[in-house]
Amino acid sequence: MHLNDLNKQGLWRARQHMIENQLRARQISDERVLAAMGKIPRELFVREALRDRAYEDSPLPIGDGQTISQPFMVALMTELLHLTGSEKVLEIGTGSGYQAAVLAELAGKVFTIERHHDLARRARKTLEGLGYTNVLTHIGDGTIGWTEFAPYDRIIVTAGAPSVPESLLKQLSAGGIMAAPVGDKVHQKLLVLTKSESGVVEKDSGGCVFVPLIGREGWSNG
Ligand code: SAM
C-alpha cells in the first residue's frame, strides 16, 4: 500500500476514535453533529507539523497565539445550537475554520468573523479547498456582529467574553439561540441564550476555557 493511503487510513481511524471516545463517550448524541465531525478532515485545519495530533482530545495552536478548540467543545457547542439545516448562523472567532465547516454541514449559511488577518485568510482557503460554498468570512471585530446580514437564527462565540456582547444579542432573531463562553480571561461558563418575543432565557452549560474575545464589546487587549 502507498504511504499516502496508509496515512489517510490512520487519520480516518483517528477520526473514528475521536467520535467514539471523545464525543459519544461524553454524551454527544446528535447523530448529525457526529456525522459531520466524522466526515470533516480536521487535519487540514491545523498546521502541517501538527497534523498527526489533529485528533487529540485537546485544543491545538494555530498561530497568532490562538487555538483550534478541543473536538468535544466544538461538538457540544454545535449540539447546543439545535441546527436543523436551514439556519443562518453567525460565528465569532473563525480561527482555523474547523467550527465553521461543522456549521456549514448542518446549517444553511454561515457567516464567520476573525480579527487576525492571517488566520482568516488561511481559514478561507481551507474552507474553499474543501468546497464549502455556504460560508462567508470577514476580517474584523466580531463583538459588534455583522449588521449587513442580521438577524441570525444562531450565534456562536468561540472566544471567552467578559459579558454577553449586546450587539450580538440584538442581531439574534426571535426564536434564535446563541452559545457563548462568558467569564474571566482564563475560565468561563458556557452560556446558552434563547431569545423570544418576551425576552432572553439564559442557561449555564458548564465550565470551559477559551482564549479571550478581544474587541469593542469584549476584552480591551490580550
Ligand atoms: N472556532 C475556531 C476554530 O474552529 O478553529 C477556534 C476559535 S479560537 C478558540 C478563538 C478565535 O477568536 C481566535 O482565532 C481569535 O483570534 C478570535 N477572536 C478573538 N476576539 C475576536 C473578535 N473580537 N472578533 C473576531 N475574532 C476574534
Side-chain angles (χ1 to χ4, degrees), residues 16-26 57:
Q16 301 320 306
H17 189 268
M18 167 191 86
I19 298 292
E20 295 309 319
N21 297 280
Q22 298 175 33
L23 308 186
R24 261 191 224 284
R26 291 194 191 117
D57 190 12

Side-chain angles (χ1 to χ4, degrees), residues 44 123-132:
L44 299 186
R124 185 180 295 155
K125 205 169 150 206
T126 310
L127 290 162
E128 279 174 5
L130 286 169
Y132 289 106

Side-chain angles (χ1 to χ4, degrees), residues 70-149:
Q70 179 196 28
F72 171 69
M73 194 46 68
V74 174
L76 177 63
M77 289 182 88
T78 310
E79 190 167 76
L80 290 168
L81 292 179
H82 296 287
L83 295 165
T84 62
S86 59
E87 293 84 0
K88 226 166 101 182
V89 185
L90 175 67
E91 180 195 25
I92 312 305
T94 315
S96 69
Y98 178 71
Q99 173 77 72
V102 176
L103 298 169
E105 289 284 341
L106 300 171
K109 182 108 188 161
V110 180
F111 299 84
T112 180
I113 311 177
E114 171 57 53
R115 63 187 285 271
H116 285 287
H117 292 232
D118 281 357
L119 291 178
R121 273 194 286 267
R122 191 182 285 262
R124 185 180 295 155
K125 205 169 150 206
T126 310
L127 290 162
E128 279 174 5
L130 286 169
Y132 289 106
T133 53
N134 60 341
V135 183
L136 213 58
T137 54
H138 174 67
I139 299 168
D141 177 8
T143 65
I144 56 171
W146 195 345
T147 48
E148 197 183 343
F149 300 103

